[in-house]
Amino acid sequence: MVNLIYTTNWINAKHDILFRGSQITIQQYNVLRILRGQYPNPCSIKLIKERMLDRMSDASRIVDKLNAKELIKRTETQTDRRFVDVVITDKGLELLQSLDYIDETSEQLFKSLSIKEINSLNDLLDKLRDK
């Protein structure tokens, strides 16, 4: 358990360095990537929440912040005003493209592992979470 917590904190510290100077947080980056994956189709807040890596994050608050930065567009659905459709904007797509190096750099954290070891690690982590 201690090793998992230590490694999680190590990875988070590496990501914090990568996001320094960008105009978004790691959680906002995750939401933008979800929206880019759905683009040009809109997403619901519920779908965003289901796909977020950090399930403890407040998806609605993150969407509001991204909307204020004009990185996404949020519109009420015609059929039920309680629901909103969220779609990434061109500005959001451009920002993500400028941050694509983060994924490549993140992959370097695992350069000491073989593909087989990475797959084993993924399988073990899934098993730990009872998937």
Side-chain angles (χ1 to χ4, degrees), residues 13-55:
K14 299 287 186 186
H15 273 126
D16 287 344
I17 291 167
L18 292 173
F19 279 90
R20 254 187 229 142
S22 76
Q23 58 179 314
I24 60 172
T25 64
I26 294 170
Q27 292 83 4
Q28 291 170 348
Y29 176 73
N30 181 219
V31 170
L32 287 174
R33 290 193 57 208
I34 292 166
L35 293 172
R36 179 170 65 180
Q38 289 292 119
Y39 186 78
N41 300 318
C43 275
S44 67
I45 302 276
K46 181 182 177 191
L47 180 66
I48 292 170
K49 265 185 134 157
E50 290 170 358
R51 294 191 178 173
M52 287 181 70
L53 296 174
D54 182 359
R55 299 278 167 90

